[in-house]
Amino acid sequence: EKDKNKTWMPKFLMVKEDKDHRKSSNDVGRSNIFKVRKSNAEKTKKMEKEEKIFRETFMYDKEINVINTATAECSVPSKRRVDLPVTAGEQLDVIDVTEGNAVICRNSEGRYGYVLVEHLNFR
């Protein structure tokens, strides 16, 4: 009699846990989708804001096209407002080339600025 209870108990617990587990992972999935959607909207808003700032600062009225991608060779803090601070290994979108030795880049956060060509790796 006692033995029967023993074998039956863990099985029952297992099934219950399984059900709860399934339910909670579903809920997590749902809230994650929502979170992603929300942060995407926020990211888009931020990107649009960054683009507006960029256009005003650089008096840039051309269409923004990614002409190349590059990797930052080293970390460079920005000295001026128009410079884009970069971190070594960071992937950047190259938006435009300038007369000098800098290119206009955009980072993953949507910030724009000048990056010197010698700090970039165009592989």
Side-chain angles (χ1 to χ4, degrees):
E1 177 85 310
K2 224 199 252 158
D3 282 349
K4 212 161 73 185
N5 274 359
K6 236 190 224 151
T7 52
W8 172 80
M9 199 56 186
K11 234 190 238 157
F12 169 72
L13 280 177
M14 251 163 46
V15 171
K16 185 172 168 16
E17 255 172 27
D18 196 6
K19 254 197 220 126
D20 285 350
H21 180 73
R22 218 173 311 143
K23 185 173 153 281
S24 66
S25 70
N26 254 351
D27 289 351
V28 167
R30 214 170 300 133
S31 67
N32 269 358
I33 288 168
F34 179 69
K35 237 188 246 142
V36 165
R37 209 172 278 150
K38 187 166 180 274
S39 70
N40 271 355
E42 275 166 22
K43 195 172 176 190
T44 306
K45 225 182 243 154
K46 187 176 182 297
M47 290 247 181
E48 282 167 6
K49 190 173 157 242
E50 290 290 355
E51 185 179 320
K52 191 169 174 279
I53 292 168
F54 161 65
R55 287 186 179 283
E56 285 168 6
T57 311
F58 287 72
M59 293 180 284
Y60 195 88
D61 52 12
K62 290 186 279 185
E63 202 176 320
I64 290 173
N65 287 317
V66 177
I67 53 172
N68 205 337
T69 53
T71 311
E73 292 265 85
C74 51
S75 300
V76 190
S78 85
K79 293 182 179 63
R80 307 168 298 166
R81 192 161 161 238
V82 290
D83 293 327
L84 184 65
V86 294
T87 314
E90 186 181 6
Q91 282 279 313
L92 300 162
D93 290 334
V94 180
I95 305 298
D96 211 339
V97 289
T98 63
E99 257 80 274
N101 56 348
V103 286
I104 298 173
C105 291
R106 178 177 64 194
N107 69 11
S108 58
E109 269 146 37
R111 270 194 71 183
Y112 296 83
Y114 289 123
V115 182
L116 292 176
V117 173
E118 66 240 36
H119 296 149
L120 296 172
N121 189 344
F122 297 92
R123 250 207 300 259

